[in-house]
Amino acid sequence: MTADTAELDRLRARDAVHVWRGRTPDVLLAEDIALLSTAELDVVRRRSQQAAVRYAGAHAALRRILCRYLDAPPESIRLGRQPCPRCEHPDHGRPRIDWPPSGLDFNLSRTGAHWLLAVAADQQVGADIEDGRSVDIHGASTIVLTGDELAHMRAQPTEELRLDAFFRCWTRKEAVVKASGVGIVADLSALDVRPADDGPVRVTHVEPNGPDTWTVQSLPAGPGLFAALAREAGSTGPVLLRDYRREFPNQPYGDGADDEPHDPAPHDPASHDTEMVGAHAI
């Protein structure tokens, strides 16, 4: 077989983005450690116990998911980074798959025990998920929001709605700058992501060697969580949510796994594809 598996063929043919969501186990698992690269294991060893467990769990899940598209064992997939589009440093650009060759693009985001993974073919994508805890939104908002975004947030009648407005802005901005490859070194206060609009919005964010315009949209993520996806503006295929726990039922999960949002019926990529049309297929 080649890297063009049925999953990758379907992704490319539909110009789709698959957005996987999941939760890491509560303990460090031998079956997760066995999938990680030497570089990933170095990260695990340098982190505190809880951070190591969450890093290993999310990156093992990443490898299990990627192998569905790449026709390669998860432990054999070689991951690297593209040079930063601003400074060309090789250590903090966009993540990439060095082997096997496929044209597959991905972006992983984590908050606490929760993670979100966007996967696409032949286009740049960015994802962000936040849990909304321990953030001074009123102090941070004056630094990262545009004037219009700040006015929108302050106009909300309750603190809960102001929190929602702030994190709608924050996750959309993070998704865009992660898709472009520069991360939060970008001036977020110069990027307007139109939080008053519920559907996908087109925004401008220019970096060297990449698209100038992006489509960004908020995603359902579950109670207390906020998430967003950014993709190249020319892409109009469906965005499909996929649940890691449902599609990998034999994997262990933490005690809080029932916090995961679930679709009302078992996932079937083919049937979902026929029902979801356009960029806002969620």
Side-chain angles (χ1 to χ4, degrees), residues 48-143:
S48 66
Q49 181 177 0
Q50 185 181 67
V53 168
R54 291 173 173 176
Y55 177 91
H59 283 254
L62 164 67
R63 288 177 169 275
R64 292 185 185 103
I65 290 169
L66 291 182
C67 79
R68 286 199 169 187
Y69 302 89
L70 297 175
D71 187 26
E75 66 275 13
S76 71
I77 297 170
R78 293 203 302 268
L79 303 176
R81 287 194 176 274
Q82 300 174 6
C84 171
R86 290 192 181 183
C87 69
E88 298 187 355
H89 196 284
D91 291 341
H92 55 260
R94 301 184 71 254
R96 71 182 181 192
I97 299 168
D98 288 336
W99 189 89
S102 64
L104 195 70
D105 191 84
F106 73 94
N107 197 246
L108 175 68
S109 179
R110 298 185 295 118
T111 184
H114 297 273
W115 55 261
L116 192 74
L117 172 67
V119 181
D122 309 319
Q123 63 166 307
Q124 294 178 206
V125 291
D128 189 53
I129 185 169
E130 305 287 344
D131 62 14
R133 292 179 294 182
S134 304
V135 176
D136 174 13
I137 66 168
H138 297 284
S141 63
T142 60
I143 300 172

